[in-house]
Structure formats: structure tokens, C-alpha cells
Amino acid sequence: ATINGGYVKAVGGEAAAGIGGGHLQPGGEVTISGGEVIAQGGADGAGIGGGREKAGGTVIIRGGSIAATGGNLSAGIGGGAYGFGGEVTISNGTVTAIGGTNGAGIGAGLNSPGGTVMITGGSIKAVGNNSDAIGGSGGNKGTGTLTNGTEPLELRVMENYVAAEDPEPVNIELAVNRSTPDVYSYVYRYFGKGHGAGDTNLYFYLPVRTAT
């Protein structure tokens, strides 16, 4: 599936993802480059990713406003119930990923490993349900990798940065300097809206132990 713009609302059937795999089907390949996308997994299906017992496949987000909510036991983005997290790459956009009961926000369904998540841009709000926000679920919490392609990342929240209701787009640049200056520094750019629902924060995943 490829989405380049417009408005898309997708609701999965029983044991199926909102966008991705059907019952007992993996997520395949999903690319989103723009637009407003709302994806709700059916019972035991990911919001975006795999159906029941299947991995999330490959999900690439390059822009847009994406809200993905997992069904029971499933990830918001990633594996369906009992499904491996797959591969998720986010380079821009405003992404809200909420796991269903015992599912990761981004990553695995119930009792499964987290897969691989690479983030190089965007504001990503990930909420796990008795699972990692980004990573694994159940006995596999703490599994998977979260990087920018070269180094581990951690969440940094910019509080009270957007309006609570109908937030307007913001354009910001964050100078990211390593705590050891001989490594490198770079600028992290974000253009987009907030996450809605009265949330005034932005959510950035930046290299561990950076000074900003």
C-alpha cells in the first residue's frame, strides 16, 4: 500500500490490520508520504502492520499526519496479536501510535519481540499497553532496536509547544550536539502539527546522551 496524500480512514475486519495484513497475513509493505491517515486494527490486528499472529512487515513513513491504533493484543504500528514487530522507518510527519491491550505502540503484538525501528525525523507519540512504547510485549519487553541508523535513541519531550485545540503547523530546528564534541553534531528539523486530543507536547527521539 502506498499513500501520498489525501484523507484515508481504514478499519480492519476481524483479526486484520487497518492497513496491512488480513487474518493470518503479514503486513507486507506500507509507505506513507503525506496526507491524513487514520488506521484502526480489527480484533487482533495492528493499526498498520500485521494481522493476527503475523509480523508487521515493512512500514515507511515519510510525512503526513498518522494515527494508528492496534486492536486487541496488537501494536499500533507493527505486529498483530502474537506478531513480531517487523521493520518501521519514520523520517518525517506527526505519528501517533497506540497499542491495543498488551500491544506496543510501535513494535510487537502480545508476547513477541519488538523488531527494528529507525527514526530520523518527525514527532512520534507512541503509547504501549502493558508493553513497551516502542519495542516488545509481555515477556519480550525491552527487545528490538530503536536507532537513527547509527546509534540508539531516547525520547525527548518538548512540553507545551503547540495549542491544545486545532494546533497550527510549527516549523522548528533543534541543534543536536554530542556530549563528546569530537563525534559530530547535526540539526533536527520538524514541520507539522501536534497530536491533537488536547496534547500540547511534541515527541522527538534523539541520540542517547546528547545535549540539545
Side-chain angles (χ1 to χ4, degrees):
T2 300
I3 299 171
N4 294 319
Y7 173 81
V8 177
K9 183 175 183 180
V11 179
E14 185 175 354
I19 299 174
H23 183 211
L24 299 180
Q25 292 181 333
E29 208 169 292
V30 177
T31 300
I32 301 172
S33 299
E36 181 179 357
V37 179
I38 299 172
Q40 169 68 59
D44 295 353
I48 300 174
R52 178 180 171 85
E53 298 181 26
K54 293 299 179 178
T58 301
V59 178
I60 300 170
I61 298 175
R62 298 179 176 137
S65 176
I66 295 93
T69 304
N72 188 44
L73 311 180
S74 303
I77 299 175
Y82 307 99
F84 173 75
E87 297 183 5
V88 178
T89 300
I90 303 172
S91 57
N92 206 345
T94 306
V95 180
T96 303
I98 300 176
T101 303
N102 295 313
I106 301 175
L110 177 64
N111 288 334
S112 298
T116 301
V117 179
M118 184 169 73
I119 297 174
T120 59
S123 177
I124 298 93
K125 179 179 181 179
V127 180
N129 191 323
N130 295 320
S131 303
D132 293 328
I134 297 179
S137 169
N140 283 285
K141 288 176 67 174
T143 61
T145 60
L146 171 60
T147 71
N148 62 7
T150 59
E151 58 189 331
L153 303 180
E154 62 184 0
L155 175 63
R156 305 294 182 87
V157 179
M158 291 185 67
E159 296 181 345
N160 300 320
Y161 205 86
V162 297
E165 300 298 330
D166 298 322
E168 295 296 319
V170 294
N171 191 357
I172 61 175
E173 293 186 353
L174 301 176
V176 180
N177 299 307
R178 293 294 309 205
S179 55
T180 51
D182 57 321
V183 182
Y184 63 83
S185 62
Y186 62 92
V187 174
Y188 183 102
R189 295 182 174 88
Y190 174 71
F191 178 80
K193 294 185 177 183
H195 294 264
D199 190 346
T200 61
N201 299 333
L202 296 177
Y203 304 83
F204 298 136
Y205 285 83
L206 303 176
V208 176
R209 293 185 300 277
T210 57
T212 59

